[in-house]
Amino acid sequence: MSATPHQPTVTEREARQVAEAAREQGWQKPSFAKELFLGRFRLDLIHPHPLPAAEDTLRGEEFLAKLRDFCETKIDSARIEREARIPDETITGLKELGALGMKIDTKYGGLGLTQVYYNKALALVGSVNPALGALLSAHQSIGVPQPLKLFGTQEQRDTFLPRCARTDISAFLLTEPDVGSDPARLATTAVRDGDDYVLDGVKLWTTNGVVADLLVVMARVPKSEEGKGGITAFVVEAASEGVTVENRNAFMGLRGLENGVTRFHRVRVPAANRIGPEGAGLKIALTTLNTGRLSLPAMCAGAGKWCLKIAREWTSVREQWGKPVALHEAVGSKISFIAATTFALEAVLDLSSQMADENRNDIRIEAALAKLYGSEMACLMADELVQIRGGRGFETAASLAARGERAVPAEQVLRDLRINRIFEGSTEIMHLLIAREAVDAHLSVAGDLIDPDKSLSEKAKAGANAGVFYAKWLPKLVAGAGQLPRSYNEFHHDVDLSTHLRYVERSARKLARSTFYAMSRWQGRMETKQGFLGRIVDIGAELFAMSAACVRAELLRTQGDHGREAYQLADAFCRQSRIRVEELFGRLWTNTDDIDRKVVKGVLSGTYTWLEEGVLDPSGDGPWIADATPGASTRENVHRPIR
């Protein structure tokens, strides 16, 4: 599709340069996951499992008790699903409870919860209705509070955070009708005019945008004498003249989601509302997401817990051929998968969240892995639950209730969870993002070797640096603690988890060797090998989850809190995970990537259009991508602020 006149046209290389410039370049703190991809199993970075301070636990538990009571008595999930809207009184009640300010410091009127307890709260709310979890998450994880906490001025924090803590809902606006994960093509503009900027453009999929009072908006500022320009972040009052919510979008799941299309036409925004300097917007967005992504796996872990509860209750009463269906191996294996995976997801979530609270480690890869792994595995668990429930799994809760059975919304959970594989970075984009961080050490020393724009002298220098790095690094990938029978013996109790940790250590070295071989083989073409990179990342995700599961099991054992059962679940998960890892290792080099590319070219060129014959397309007319030409809105404003 050709670019519209207002749409910036950029090459693939320019797009990559924009994304690269927005990355956090340095690694000032250690990272367990980064070391894992380099073949170094740094168990000391996550074991013993970090723990929250006593006062943080007390404050968190007190709020969770209030939130649980509110969820049980004040939230009607069936009504939200039926009316496809969160009632105003529900949102008002959450405001009064302080739920808008869970992550906001107490000095601004917030609750000051840790990441651990914020995630527990999201899991609780999301288990009642995921649309509510999405509202609270979008408001605090990526909306106004988090960017201001990280990059705002003291005056901005004093002005906006008290509002966000109690009364005002915020939203995050980056995506546009023709711009998804390629921000270099951002078309919304913000032109400096005296003490203001003037915004023009259209934003799509604005979660919370329909009900928001405050917006974080990413816009392109032209270069000028006053500033260097570039993608820049602004806090915008949703009630400003020229802001129009043109549509409330509807989706296959999250029916209560207040998500829309927002148009800006000559909207004046004070320069004082700019977050950070001009050109820092994309970096602000990506840095905000580093920790903000943990909200999605929180709700995925909560969904796993619910799936396990329903699977246990249903399969114990439903009988086939003389015994409960749970005791039939075909169903029992699904229950085991749900139980073991739920344990692992919670382990990954709690470990990553506690590390985020301590701020001792760089968790950008851990948070991304948690989001990637949690969203994928939760969908699998929900799908298995629907299969376990059979026809009742496909039937809506309302229909079940109408004919006198328990209203179990299994099909709704499957629909609601599906978006998490797309939200805040699709699985495919997460693969590329994590892969880029995973090979950062290699690119740092050998990147100039594969850069076509570098001179011969620069390549020679890079070659010398690479020689020194690899001379030290490669020999360490040959042998390690994973080959010593008594390594990690502190994890050997009633069940032996040490064998799994030794497997993780060996596999980490194998993963690093595979990455090095691929870079040597493909060099500059490595970034086009997205199938290979995706498998590398998926292996790393499994190894991280296995590590987290073992560390959590040992924590629970030392605390005397279901330690024996935790070890059993960790063992089951690791055994299941190891099967997946071995398959992924095999597919690194034995796959259909080459033939797939040929088929895709054939599909796009029309070679196989004969295969499409014999059906009718019920799709309506209209463009594939809506026109987003700047200008005054011609549609009714459906903005619905909650008062």
Side-chain angles (χ1 to χ4, degrees), residues 365-584:
I365 299 182
E366 286 85 347
L369 287 173
K371 188 274 177 188
L372 167 70
Y373 196 71
S375 60
E376 290 290 327
M377 300 307 277
C379 276
L380 290 176
M381 288 191 288
D383 189 64
E384 293 288 38
L385 176 65
V386 168
Q387 191 70 17
I388 289 170
R389 287 275 290 162
R392 291 173 173 84
F394 192 66
E395 191 173 0
T396 67
S399 178
L400 288 166
R403 59 183 186 78
E405 290 193 5
R406 184 172 300 185
V408 178
E411 59 83 30
Q412 179 190 334
V413 167
L414 183 58
R415 288 187 288 104
D416 288 342
L417 283 171
R418 185 60 182 83
I419 187 58
N420 291 332
R421 296 172 60 199
I422 300 171
F423 260 169
E424 295 182 17
S426 69
T427 290
E428 293 72 25
I429 292 300
M430 296 306 296
H431 276 150
L432 299 181
L433 183 152
I434 297 168
R436 172 61 187 87
E437 300 295 354
V439 301
D440 182 59
H442 301 281
L443 295 179
S444 297
V445 298
D448 288 353
L449 280 173
I450 59 178
D451 190 336
D453 292 340
K454 297 299 181 181
S455 66
L456 288 177
S457 62
E458 289 172 317
K459 289 180 182 291
K461 183 179 179 181
N465 291 337
V468 173
F469 172 79
Y470 290 119
K472 295 180 179 179
W473 179 66
L474 286 172
K476 297 178 181 178
L477 301 182
V478 176
Q483 292 162 295
L484 302 176
R486 298 186 63 81
S487 294
Y488 316 114
N489 248 16
E490 65 268 34
F491 290 85
H492 188 170
H493 296 281
D494 295 323
V495 176
D496 185 8
L497 297 184
S498 66
T499 182
H500 300 310
L501 293 176
R502 289 194 293 273
Y503 176 83
V504 171
E505 195 278 337
R506 295 194 304 272
S507 297
R509 286 186 282 111
K510 182 178 179 180
L511 184 64
R513 292 194 302 268
S514 300
T515 304
F516 173 74
Y517 174 69
M519 289 193 67
S520 302
R521 177 179 174 180
W522 292 314
Q523 298 185 26
R525 293 182 294 126
M526 177 81 160
E527 64 184 18
T528 68
K529 304 296 182 179
Q530 295 179 2
F532 177 89
L533 292 173
R535 294 174 199 116
I536 286 286
V537 170
D538 286 340
I539 292 170
E542 294 284 1
L543 298 181
F544 177 41
M546 290 171 67
S547 305
C550 291
V551 169
R552 180 175 179 79
E554 175 61 10
L555 170 67
L556 295 179
R557 186 195 68 81
T558 58
Q559 291 180 332
D561 190 10
H562 307 295
R564 183 191 296 264
E565 297 83 1
Y567 257 67
Q568 291 171 349
L569 288 169
D571 181 48
F573 172 77
C574 288
R575 290 176 185 273
Q576 295 169 10
S577 179
R578 288 171 67 162
I579 293 173
R580 294 190 292 267
V581 169
E582 290 304 309
E583 179 186 354
L584 287 164

Side-chain angles (χ1 to χ4, degrees), residues 43 46 55 88 100 136 143 153 188 193 244 274 281 295 312 335 388 402 482:
L43 186 62
I46 62 173
E55 58 270 25
D88 287 8
L100 291 187
L136 294 175
T153 65
T188 298
D193 183 19
T244 306
R274 186 189 69 215
S295 60
R312 172 181 57 80
I335 298 173
I388 289 170

